[in-house]
Amino acid sequence: PAFLRPSTPEAGAQWAYVERNTDPATSLVSATEGASVTSLAGIGHAIKATLAAHRLNFVNGQELFRRVTALIEAGARIPVVDAGMSISTRTGRPTTEPADESLAPYRAALELVSWSYPALRGIAVKELARWSDAELTTPEPGVNPTSRGSVTPLRTASDILQRAATIPEDDRQ
């Protein structure tokens, strides 16, 4: 199908965005054109974009391995307490600004890597384990996100699994 061909203009434009907005020192991709911040969710999106680029032959296996490893390593340097913070693409360190995003895209990307790419499974599983019961969070508006209690829990992995266990088999999709 046309949407799977590497010459697809939309896919090429999306990958060009990633390339233009990737900081060469950290491998982090800016959340918006020309910005210098991202988030753990943004790292997850960048991982998934790199996996797609590999499937579309925009990057080879070595480049996939290099980029995804660098992105996971960048995520691994973020302390759990700073999960809801924006991350400087220049330094790879949390900023003082809330990211207003959840961990779900990051964790989903790590799961995808761990299932689909044996050469990257070890680093992905190790990082995923660090977040296995971390709360999916969003910063509270107007609250200093570096203060204790400034994050509203959405769900923990345990809550999600417990809730899934209570859904009748016929209602699961």
Side-chain angles (χ1 to χ4, degrees):
F3 67 88
L4 292 178
R5 280 184 278 179
S7 60
T8 302
E10 294 83 10
Q14 291 298 319
W15 186 246
Y17 169 88
V18 171
E19 296 231 302
R20 269 192 323 274
N21 289 283
T22 298
D23 187 290
T26 62
S27 296
L28 295 174
V29 181
S30 297
T32 57
E33 186 80 41
S36 61
V37 294
T38 190
S39 63
L40 283 170
I43 292 173
H45 296 310
I47 290 169
K48 289 184 276 185
T50 305
L51 300 179
H54 178 251
R55 304 239 339 154
L56 293 170
N57 297 316
F58 292 144
V59 296
N60 63 30
Q62 286 180 314
E63 185 66 5
L64 166 84
F65 186 85
R66 185 193 69 74
R67 286 178 185 247
V68 172
T69 298
L71 289 164
I72 294 173
E73 287 174 347
R77 287 189 292 272
I78 304 304
V80 173
V81 296
D82 289 330
M85 304 304 295
S86 293
I87 301 163
S88 167
T89 57
R90 294 185 182 129
T91 66
R93 294 191 182 106
T95 68
T96 58
E97 298 298 317
D100 200 25
E101 295 180 7
S102 81
L103 289 172
Y106 183 59
R107 289 175 19 175
L110 293 171
E111 290 279 357
L112 183 60
V113 169
S114 72
W115 295 334
S116 306
Y117 294 86
L120 294 163
R121 184 170 289 133
I123 189 172
V125 168
K126 183 178 178 182
E127 178 62 357
L128 194 57
R130 194 167 74 101
W131 300 100
S132 66
D133 207 31
E135 294 176 339
L136 301 177
T137 60
T138 185
E140 292 177 11
V143 176
N144 178 350
T146 59
S147 68
R148 205 177 234 319
S150 65
V151 180
T152 304
L154 298 178
R155 296 205 178 221
T156 65
S158 296
D159 293 339
I160 293 167
L161 293 173
Q162 287 174 354
R163 173 70 178 121
T166 65
I167 300 171
E169 190 70 37
D170 294 342
D171 293 341
R172 295 182 191 173
Q173 296 184 20

